[in-house]
């Protein structure tokens, strides 16, 4: 029986392990489409335009923003990021699950615009020391950027109390099990299973 799509929004302070967890979920469940965001930041080595992000100039981003192209947008670490509105509604209407990797400010906007249709997960590092270790271990950022990310992490974690699920990424196995459980439970909600709901009153 056909069900409606789950919009799963995942946020985390940079370095907590969100990308690792999301890639695994996308690898296990082919039901998911990934919401490709637009950004003004430069591509990192290995990132593909149109797959990881749509990379835009600031001018183009501002133009699309003014046209109402984005479901939400935010400035994160000095760059603009936004979720295109149209593909989101289209995919959910078709019954596809959608995965969003967005920061706390953007997640709060999605909460308002999707009006209860989305499930929100916040991934926490086991400690600030471990977060710092992971940021350094990833070898992507210089010292100034690491310090800025740690400062933002503290702020983001104080803003995350409204999420539906908080997952501590201590061991990857445990954190991944928790994430897939949140997703699988969401697929069972009566609101996403109109066919089964009809059986209840039959
Ligand atoms: P984010 O997307 O949240 O910035 P990443 O997924 O890039 O984080 O992970 C940051 C670093 O931490 C990567 O080097 C990744 O391999 C490592 N990592 C992720 N999860 C764990 C874990 N549970 N234990 C140890 N290292 C981890
Ligand atoms: P990165 O540049 O490391 O890929 O991402 C930096 C931050 O921007 C992450 O916290 C990520 O979740 C967030 N982000 C990525 N895409 C979007 C988006 O479309 N909207 C918002 N609000 N945040 C995003």
């Amino acid at each position: 029986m056909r069900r409606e799509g789950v919009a799963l929004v995942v946020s985390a302070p940079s370095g907590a392990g969100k990308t690792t967890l999301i890639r695994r979920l996308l690898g296990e469940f082919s039901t998911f489409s990934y919401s490709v965001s637009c950004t003004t930041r430069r591509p990192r080595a290995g990132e593909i335009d149109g797959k990881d992000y749509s990379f835009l100039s600031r001018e183009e981003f501002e133009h699309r923003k003014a046209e109402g192209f984005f479901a939400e947008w935010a400035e994160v670490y000095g760059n603009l990021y936004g979720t295109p509105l149209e593909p989101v509604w289209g995919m959910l209407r078709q019954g596809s699950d959608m995965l969003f990797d967005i920061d706390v400010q953007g997640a709060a906007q999605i909460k308002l615009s999707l009006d209860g249709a989305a499930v929100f997960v916040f991934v926490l590092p086991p400690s600030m020391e471990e977060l710092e270790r992971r940021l350094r271990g990833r070898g992507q950022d210089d010292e100034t950027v690491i310090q800025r990310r740690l400062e933002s992490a503290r702020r983001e974690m104080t803003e995350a109390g409204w999420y539906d699920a908080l997952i501590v990424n201590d061991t990857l196995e445990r954190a991944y099990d928790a994430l897939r459980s949140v997703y699988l439970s969401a697929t069972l909600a009566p609101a996403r299973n109109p066919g089964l709901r009809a059986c209840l009153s039959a």
Side-chain angles (χ1 to χ4, degrees):
M1 215 171 286
R2 195 152 170 257
R3 67 167 173 84
E4 288 172 10
V6 174
L8 188 65
V9 180
V10 184
S11 307
S14 182
K18 181 182 49 174
T19 308
T20 311
L21 288 163
I22 283 178
R23 286 210 176 123
R24 200 153 159 188
L25 199 67
L26 290 171
E28 180 175 354
F29 297 100
S30 57
T31 40
F32 265 116
S33 296
Y34 181 65
S35 165
V36 179
S37 297
C38 297
T39 183
T40 59
R41 89 148 157 73
R42 285 163 190 271
R44 294 186 187 126
E47 282 183 332
I48 298 169
D49 190 28
K51 180 168 178 280
D52 298 291
Y53 282 105
S54 293
F55 295 98
L56 304 180
S57 66
R58 205 159 178 115
E59 194 186 9
E60 177 61 21
F61 191 102
E62 293 291 358
H63 177 69
R64 292 196 190 183
K65 194 177 97 185
E67 283 187 327
F69 181 81
F70 296 117
E72 62 75 35
W73 69 274
E75 181 149 4
V76 189
Y77 310 123
N79 294 303
L80 299 175
Y81 293 83
T83 303
L85 180 64
E86 202 36 53
V88 174
W89 288 118
M91 296 303 280
L92 287 172
R93 266 196 302 262
Q94 285 168 27
S96 247
D97 298 322
M98 290 290 291
L99 191 56
F100 301 83
D101 168 349
I102 50 182
D103 87 314
V104 181
Q105 313 163 65
Q109 293 173 53
I110 290 274
K111 190 171 173 71
L112 291 177
S113 68
L114 288 189
D115 195 24
V119 178
F120 295 85
V121 175
F122 193 85
V123 178
L124 291 154
S127 66
M128 288 306 287
E129 291 73 25
E130 176 59 17
L131 182 66
E132 189 166 349
R133 245 191 312 276
R134 287 183 193 171
L135 283 171
R136 290 188 195 288
R138 195 164 60 175
Q140 228 168 47
D141 308 311
D142 65 28
E143 188 56 33
T144 323
V145 174
I146 288 181
Q147 290 310 324
R148 203 164 50 173
R149 291 197 192 279
L150 288 171
E151 202 176 297
S152 301
R154 284 189 196 93
R155 182 177 37 76
E156 285 167 44
M157 289 194 288
T158 62
E159 289 171 18
W162 59 267
Y163 276 69
D164 299 311
L166 301 176
I167 296 178
V168 178
N169 182 14
D170 41 15
T171 69
L172 198 54
E173 280 318 306
R174 208 176 4 221
Y176 182 67
D177 277 353
L179 182 61
R180 76 193 290 285
S181 302
V182 170
Y183 162 62
L184 289 172
S185 329
T187 66
L188 305 177
R192 293 192 186 89
N193 291 277
L196 291 177
R197 219 167 48 217
C199 295
L200 297 177
S201 53

